[in-house]
């Protein structure tokens, strides 16, 4: 059984935009609400996924992979930071 839909969304738009959306809904055989909800949900999902994934062409991927596979270089400021942390009691207490 589909989830009960109680929420609503009010949107202001021009007459032309509404006409276009209605034509799209009609052409796809969907109600206006179903058409708008499907389109908005798809765009929202894309926006959210764009925050997590990015696409690289093969050459750029290979270049990045090569850089990441090389051993890191010590940064003096981090070396000093870790040396100092080892001298602090809580850093060596194991919890």
């Amino acid at each position: 059984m589909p989830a009960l839909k109680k929420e609503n969304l009010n949107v202001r738009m021009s007459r032309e935009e509404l006409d276009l959306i209605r034509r799209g809904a009609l052409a796809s055989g969907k109600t206006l609400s179903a058409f708008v909800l499907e389109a908005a949900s798809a765009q929202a999902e894309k926006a959210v996924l764009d925050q997590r994934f990015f696409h690289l062409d093969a050459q750029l991927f290979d270049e990045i992979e090569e850089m990441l596979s090389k051993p890191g270089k010590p940064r003096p400021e981090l070396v000093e930071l870790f040396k100092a942390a080892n001298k602090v009691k809580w850093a060596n207490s194991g919890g």
Side-chain angles (χ1 to χ4, degrees):
M1 175 183 238
L4 183 61
K5 296 181 179 181
K6 297 186 205 178
E7 304 299 327
N8 63 44
L9 173 68
N10 295 312
V11 180
R12 293 189 184 276
M13 65 187 77
S14 69
R15 170 62 58 192
E16 293 80 16
E17 290 168 323
L18 180 57
D19 289 343
L20 176 62
I21 293 169
R22 281 187 174 143
R23 288 192 345 248
L26 183 63
S28 63
K30 297 179 180 159
T31 65
L32 182 62
S33 292
F35 183 79
V36 170
L37 181 59
E38 183 179 297
S41 295
Q43 283 299 107
E45 187 174 290
K46 182 182 181 304
V48 170
L49 289 175
D50 282 348
Q51 298 295 311
R52 297 181 184 177
F53 301 103
F54 54 94
H55 300 283
L56 303 173
D57 63 41
Q59 180 183 352
L60 183 56
F61 178 84
D62 291 341
E63 290 171 12
I64 292 173
E65 186 176 41
E66 182 181 338
M67 284 189 288
L68 291 174
S69 67
K70 292 179 182 176
K73 296 177 184 173
R75 297 191 55 181
E77 60 272 19
L78 289 177
V79 171
E80 291 303 314
L81 178 67
F82 285 117
K83 282 181 184 176
N86 283 332
K87 294 177 185 174
V88 178
K89 182 179 180 183
W90 59 262
N92 297 318
S93 67

